Amino acid sequence: MQKEVIIVIGGGITGLTVALELAQLGKHPLVVERGPLLGGRSASLPCKATDRCLKCNNCLVEDTLRQIKYDSPFEFMTHTTISDIRREAESWYVTLETGPFFIDWEKCTDCGACYEACARLGASGVVRGASINQHPFFGIDQKACSCLQKGADPACVKECPEGAINILTRPQTRQVKAHGIVVATGYTPYVPPEKNRFGYGRLPNVITTQEADEMLRESGAVTRPSDGRVPQRVAFVQCVGSRDRRIGREYCSRICCGYSLRLALHMIHKYPDVDITIFYMDIQNFGKDFEKYYSEVKDKAKLVRGLPGDFYALDEGKISVSYFSEEQQKNVAQPFDLVLLTIGLSPQEENPDLANMLGLGINEDGFLRPSQADASAVVVAGTARGPMDVAECICDAKSAAFKMANFLEGS
Amino acid sequence: MNSESGKHRVRAKLETRAQELTERLELQSVRSCYICRTCTSSCPVTFIDPRFNPLAILRMVLYGKIEEVLNSDFLWLCTSCYSCQERCPQEIPIADIMTKLKNKAFKLGNAPVGVRAQMDIIKKAGRTYPLDDFDNKKRAKAGLPELPTSCDVVKTLFESETESLK
Amino acid sequence: MTDGRVNRSVLVVGNGPYCFKVAGELASVDSVSLAVLREARLDEMEQKPNLVELLMPVELLGFSGQPGEFRAVFRQTNGSHAERTYGFVVVALESEWISTLNKWSVVEDSRITSLSKLEKYVNEYLGNIGPGDKVVFISGFKQDSYPVSQEKIVNFAAAVREKTGAATYVLMEQFKVAQEGLERAFRLARELGVVFVKFSQTIPEVRVGPKECTVQYMDEAMGQAVNISPQLLIFEDEACPPPEGRYISDLLGINLGNQGFLQGDFLFNLPIYTNRTGIFVVGSGKGPISEREAEREAEAVAEEVAKLVCSFDKEVVGPFPTLNENECIHCLTCYRSCPHKAISLYPGQRSPQISPVACRGCGICVESCPRRAIDFEHGESGISYYDIDKEIDHIVYEDSRDVPRIAVFACVNSAYDAYLLAKSRGDRLQARCSVLKVPCGGRVEAAAVIKALGSGVDGVAILTCHENSCKSVHGASRCRKRIAAVKEMMTKCGVKEEAILFGTVAPGSAPQFVELINRFSLRLQGGDGSSIIPGNAGSGGEAR
Ligand SMILES: Cc1cc2nc3c(=O)[nH]c(=O)nc-3n(C[C@H](O)[C@H](O)[C@H](O)COP(=O)(O)OP(=O)(O)OC[C@H]3O[C@@H](n4cnc5c(N)ncnc54)[C@H](O)[C@@H]3O)c2cc1C
Ligand code: SF4
Ligand code: SF4
Ligand code: SF4
Ligand code: SF4
C-alpha cells in the first residue's frame, strides 16, 4: 500500500506536535515550514522562572524538540512554502517550493561555519536556533542577507564544509500527493503601527514584549536598549493590539496577562529593587496557578487599572507615562526607565488565501476555522485557530492528530 | 402592594425621561464603553482639574444622570482637544458627546457666564480677542497687513445658529 | 506485566455528563468501560459498539497495577463487588459550581439566587420582572471568576435586558474575556443597555430587608456612590473541585493540585497527564474550562491512548532500570520513591517489579535503593552517563592553574541542554567544567557528589530543573534536600560547603547557566575574599 502522506503546514509547536503524534500513530506526516528553523515562536520563549517554574511552557517545547531531534520520527522541509494545492478525488496534490537560498538540513551538521562567516560581515542572513534542540540549528533568512542585497555571492556558501548551502536561480519544487492536511500556521505578534501614542519606534526604551522576550532569551536579562542598563522603574502596558475595535481586533489575546505577571515576578526575583507598574483593563485567568501569581504580583508590584494616555521622552532615556491616579483622582505623569508593550496575537495575513485554497472558514477575528464541508480532510490547529498558549496548542495538536488519524482510518 | 407598583411606575418614568434624552441627543454610544480609562488618562484637563473626568461624565450619562451633567459646571472644562475620541478603543465619539451635552446645556440656559460673554464677543467681533485700531497700528509697525476690526458675516451666522440653539 | 497479556481497554471514571462524551471519543480507539460515581443524565451518550460496560452509580474500592493491567474493584448499589482489568484510566470528573450566597451572608429566596439556580429556573425567576424593575448580577469579589461563568452571566444579562426591559447591572471585578467571542458578547450586552460596573478598590455592599434588598456601591469610574434596590439579585457561583476528586486520586495514586483540583502542580502534567503513565485527567475537574476546551481534551486523551496502544507493540527503547533480585532486601524504598508509581508489588513475586511502560527512566529508584540493587541497563545507544560512578572515575582535566575546575552534574532535561546551548553560542565559562549528563537531579546520590569532590576538582555543581517543572515530579526537590544534607555533613567534618552548588536552570537558558557557573567559579576563587582553593587566593582573573 502506498504511504498516506499528511501535509502539516507550519513547523511551530502545534505543527510539530501534530506530526510527532501522527508519526507515533504509524502515519506519515510531512511538515512544511516556510521559515529556516523548526519550532516557531515558542522555541525562543525565555525562561521566566523565579526560584520556581512559573510555567511559561518553554520546557514543554524543548521536550518536544528534543524528541524530534533525537528520534527523527517524521519528514520535514524548511525554507519551504506551498505554491499550489489541487484537490482531486480523495487526494490533494501539493506543490512545494524550497529556497532558492536555503540550507539542506540533511547535509548540515550544525557546525556553525556559515553563521560565523555571516556574523563576520556584520549581517544576520544566517540565523541560529534559540534552542539547542532545534535541528536544523542554522538556517537562511533570505531577506536579511546582506550579500544578496549587495549583489555579491553569499559568503556562507563556500564556508560550509558539507556543501549544504544551496543558492539556486529559482526555488526547487516538489510535488506531493497527500491524503490530509493539517494547518498549523500560527499567528503574527502584533506590531504597533508607525504612528502610535506609546512612542514605540520613536523612544528607544519603549519595546514590545516580543522584543523583551528575545532579549531575555539571548542575554539573560531585560535591559534598556538605549544604554543596556537594568531598569529601575518598569511599566507594562496591557492589551496593546488586543481588545481594540479601532484596529479591528475585538478579542482578547489570552496569553498576555499571564505573560506580564510572570515576567514581572521574574524581574522582581532577579532585581528585588525593581519597581514595576502594570497598567491593565482586566486581568485574565491563565491556567491553574492564576490566583497564586496574581496575588503575588499584587503584593510585589503596582497594578493600575486603566490604560495610560501619553508617553513623552524625558532625560536619560526615561519615559513619562500619564495615567489616571485612583488615589489622587486626577491624571499624573510618572517617569519610567523602560516601557513594555504587552502585545497580542494577530491572525496571519495569509489566512484568507489559505482559507480559499483549502476551503476553510475565517472567524470574526480573522483566525481560521474548519469548514463544514470536507471538514476532516483539513484540520486546523493551534494559534492558527485563535489565541492560545503553548500547553493549549499541544492539546489542540493532539486532538487534531486524533481527528486526522480517524479520518484516514475511515477513508 | 399598590404603593409598590406606584413606585415602580415613578421609577420607570424617571428612567424613560433619561432614556429619551439619551436617544434624542444620540448618546447611546456611551454604552459601548468597557472602562479602559484611555479617555481620562489622555485628557489634558484631568491633569489640572480633578473635577473633570470624561469617563465619569460618560458613566453619568449611562446611569441616566444627564440632568446632573447638564447642570454641572465641569462639563464646560472640556477643551474639545479630541485626545479621548481619537484613542477610545470602542470608537466612542467622546468629544462629540461633550459638544452635544454642552449644546443642550446651553439651550437650557446652563452655560457659565464666561462662555456667554465669550459668545457675545465673537458675535460682535468675529473673534474671541477683538481687534481694534491699536492692534492694527502695532501690526503696521511690525510690517504686518491690517486686519478687519469687525466681522459681520460671523454675526449673521451666529444669529441663525443661536436661533436654532434656542 | 505479570502474565504477559496486555489489556487495551479503557476505564473512564466520571461523575456527570462529560464522562459520556469522553467515553464516546475513546470508544473509537478501543473498548471502553464507564464508571460513573453518581447517577447522571445519560442522554448525551450515543450507543458506541466499543462501550462494553456501564457501571452507574458505582463506588471505586480498590486500584492497583500498571498500564496494560490496571486492576479495579468496584462496589455496586446492590452491594456486590466487581473486579475488572483495564489498560488505561481516564479520569473525567467534573468540577462543581457552588453557591456563594453564604459568603455574602444572604439567604436564597424569590429575589435572591445563584447563577446555577437561575439557569435551572429561568422562567420562575424572570416571570415577574418587567420594565422599571432592576436586576443585578454579582461576579467575583468572594471567589475567582472564569470566562465560562461570565459567559453565562453576560448572556443572561443581555436576555433579561432585551426580554423584560428591566434595568440590568453586572457588578464585577474583571471582565473575563479570554474566550473566543466573549469580548464581542460583552459589547453586545452593553449595547443592549446592560450596565457593567468594574471594581478594583472597593466592593459592593448587599443588604437584605424584609421588603427590599439594596446593593450599595461606589462606581469607581464615575466617582459616585450608587444605590440600587433590585427585584432580582444573582450571585455568580464558585468553582469547586469535584467532591470525589480526593478519594479517586488517593486510590489511583495520582497527585492533586491547587485547592484540591485534579492534576498535580507540575509543568509536564500539562495538558492532560498525571504523574502516572496510562492514567489521564481531562475536563473541568482540573479547573473550570469551556465546553470547547473540554471537547478538545476528550479528543486529545483519545489520541494519547491510541498512541500508548501503538507503543505496546513496540519494543521498549531508552534507558530502563533493572532490579537484581539477589541483592534486593524487600525494603520497598524504590516502590515508595518512584515518582511515576512504575514499581509494583505482586503477590507471589519475590521482588518489586518495574513496569517498562510506566517507567520514565529518571533513575530515582537507582539512587534510592540502599542495596544498590537497581541499575540501568546500557541501552543500544551505549550511553553510559547513567553510570555516574564510572564516569567520575574518568574525569580528565586539562591542567589549568588560573580557573577553578568544576564537575557539573547536569540534568538531561534542563541544565545539560543549557550547557550545550552555551557551548554552541561560544559563551565563555570562567571555569573548566566537566559536565556529566544525568537523567534527573534525583538520580545523583550523595556518594557521587562526594566522590566527584574527591576526584580533585575544586567544586561540584548539581544543576537541575526548577522544582515544579521537574519531569520526575520530585526529582529536583529530592536532589536539593540531598545536597543540603551533604553540605551539612561536610561542614560537620570541617570541610567548606561552598565547594558544592545546587542550582536550577531551564534548558533554553544558556546565559543563566553561564552566570551560575561563573558566580560559582568566583566563589571558589574566593570572590568573597576567602579562597577555598589552595594557592588561588584573590586571583579573580577572567579566563580567556
Ligand atoms: C510576546 C509573546 C509572549 C508569549 N509568551 C508565551 C508564554 O510565556 N507561554 C506560552 O505558553 N505561550 C506564549 N506565547 C504564545 C506562544 O508563542 C504561542 O502559543 C505558540 O508559539 C503558538 O504556536 P503555533 O505553532 O500555533 O504557532 P507559531 O509559533 O506561530 O508557528 C507557526 C509556524 O508556521 C509557519 N508558517 C506560517 N505560515 C506558513 C505557511 N503558509 N507555510 C509554511 N509555514 C508557515 C511559521 O513560520 C511558524 O514557524 C507568547 C506569545 C507572544 C506574542
Ligand atoms: S518558566 Fe518556562 S522555561 Fe522556566 S522552568 Fe518553567 S517552563 Fe521551563
Ligand atoms: S490577556 Fe490580558 S493583556 Fe492580553 S488582551 Fe487579554 S486582557 Fe489584554
Ligand atoms: S476610552 Fe472609550 S472605552 Fe475607554 S474608558 Fe473612555 S469611553 Fe470607555
Ligand atoms: S527510573 Fe524513575 S520512573 Fe523508572 S522505576 Fe525508577 S524511579 Fe520509577
Side-chain angles (χ1 to χ4, degrees), chain C residues 188-346:
Chain C
L188 294 177
R190 292 198 301 274
E191 285 174 358
L192 283 170
V194 177
V195 176
F196 288 88
V197 192
K198 278 193 213 175
F199 294 79
S200 42
Q201 318 279 319
T202 55
I203 65 168
E205 253 178 64
V206 177
R207 279 203 207 91
V208 180
K211 279 196 147 176
E212 235 188 19
C213 63
T214 57
V215 180
Q216 241 177 43
Y217 64 87
M218 180 73 190
D219 186 299
E220 296 170 9
M222 179 162 66
Q224 290 187 21
V226 178
N227 211 327
I228 305 177
S229 307
Q231 279 66 41
L232 184 59
L233 179 57
I234 301 121
F235 292 92
E236 183 184 33
D237 298 306
E238 177 176 14
C240 294
E244 303 90 345
R246 194 164 292 274
Y247 108 81
I248 289 294
S249 61
D250 280 352
L251 266 179
L252 301 188
I254 55 174
N255 297 338
L256 271 187
N258 232 352
Q259 301 155 23
F261 281 104
L262 289 168
Q263 200 179 45
D265 175 22
F266 288 102
L267 178 75
F268 281 94
N269 281 348
L270 296 175
I272 52 173
Y273 305 110
T274 66
N275 49 310
R276 298 199 62 179
T277 309
I279 304 184
F280 304 92
V281 280
V282 292
S284 63
K286 299 180 289 166
I289 53 174
S290 72
E291 234 169 75
R292 174 73 200 94
E293 287 167 306
E295 197 179 306
R296 182 165 72 190
E297 291 192 353
E299 289 158 357
V301 82
E303 196 274 332
E304 252 343 286
V305 168
K307 202 169 73 180
L308 276 181
V309 166
C310 284
S311 81
F312 278 151
D313 302 331
K314 292 185 197 135
E315 233 177 284
V316 180
V317 286
F320 176 66
T322 46
L323 194 149
N324 179 348
E325 300 211 342
N326 298 329
E327 284 295 322
C328 174
I329 50 161
H330 319 289
C331 66
L332 303 191
T333 310
C334 59
Y335 169 80
R336 285 191 305 265
S337 61
C338 173
H340 306 297
K341 301 233 178 320
I343 305 179
S344 312
L345 306 164
Y346 296 100

Side-chain angles (χ1 to χ4, degrees), chain C residues 10-27 32-42 44-46 48 51 53-56 58 90-95 244 282-285 294-295 298 301:
Chain C
V10 188
L11 168 68
V12 176
V13 182
N15 60 359
Y18 176 60
C19 66
F20 299 125
K21 187 165 206 72
V22 176
E25 294 294 350
L26 283 158
V32 176
S33 300
L34 244 170
V36 191
L37 305 178
R38 48 181 133 120
E39 215 48 81
R41 267 185 304 121
L42 254 173
E44 304 205 7
M45 191 66 194
E46 308 163 46
K48 286 266 165 73
L51 189 79
E53 190 174 30
L54 171 68
L55 301 163
M56 180 172 81
V58 77
V90 175
V91 181
L93 295 172
E94 290 170 65
S95 62
E244 303 90 345
V282 292
S284 63
E295 197 179 306
V301 82

Side-chain angles (χ1 to χ4, degrees), chain A residues 45-49 52-60, chain C residues 267 466 469 506-507 509:
Chain A
L45 295 175
C47 175
K48 294 170 206 78
R52 49 189 353 251
C53 164
L54 298 187
K55 299 203 183 123
C56 81
N57 298 332
N58 179 256
C59 286
L60 296 179
Chain C
L267 178 75
H466 297 285
S469 59
S509 299

Side-chain angles (χ1 to χ4, degrees), chain A residues 125-302:
Chain A
V126 180
V127 291
R128 184 173 64 186
S131 156
I132 196 67
N133 292 314
Q134 274 170 297
H135 176 72
F137 191 56
F138 297 97
I140 306 274
D141 179 359
Q142 213 168 297
K143 282 189 218 102
C145 171
S146 67
C147 297
L148 280 187
Q149 270 156 27
K150 279 185 255 155
D153 281 343
C156 53
V157 178
K158 47 187 182 306
E159 292 288 330
C160 176
E162 312 294 328
I165 307 180
N166 291 309
I167 177 146
L168 311 174
T169 44
R170 70 190 133 90
Q172 182 178 304
T173 61
R174 170 176 166 193
Q175 250 220 357
V176 180
K177 181 181 163 195
H179 284 74
I181 295 192
V182 180
V183 184
T185 48
Y187 69 97
T188 318
Y190 176 77
V191 181
E194 198 185 318
K195 294 217 163 73
N196 62 77
R197 78 170 193 272
F198 312 110
Y200 177 75
R202 186 164 48 82
L203 309 176
N205 294 331
V206 177
I207 60 173
T208 64
T209 43
Q210 157 90 33
E211 289 158 340
D213 254 16
E214 281 160 17
M215 209 191 288
L216 184 54
R217 179 89 183 198
E218 189 57 31
S219 71
V222 180
T223 51
R224 300 209 317 168
S226 68
D227 54 12
R229 279 221 288 260
V230 174
Q232 274 301 299
R233 291 174 142 208
V234 182
F236 285 77
V237 183
Q238 296 303 107
C239 298
V240 174
S242 312
R243 304 188 65 187
D244 190 342
R245 277 167 88 191
R246 185 169 290 282
I247 56 166
R249 285 194 170 77
E250 200 174 3
Y251 60 84
C252 162
S253 289
R254 303 185 68 230
I255 54 115
C256 17
C257 277
Y259 174 95
S260 293
L261 298 197
R262 288 190 189 100
L263 184 57
L265 288 177
H266 175 81
M267 289 171 89
I268 294 166
H269 174 75
K270 185 142 192 193
Y271 307 107
D273 291 339
V274 68
D275 184 348
I276 289 180
T277 306
I278 300 175
F279 296 99
Y280 74 103
M281 268 196 267
D282 301 286
I283 298 289
Q284 307 301 326
N285 314 50
F286 47 90
K288 298 165 59 133
D289 296 332
F290 163 73
E291 184 56 31
K292 216 162 45 187
Y293 298 159
Y294 183 42
S295 56
E296 200 178 336
V297 171
K298 277 198 276 194
D299 272 358
K300 295 182 176 168
K302 190 168 153 197

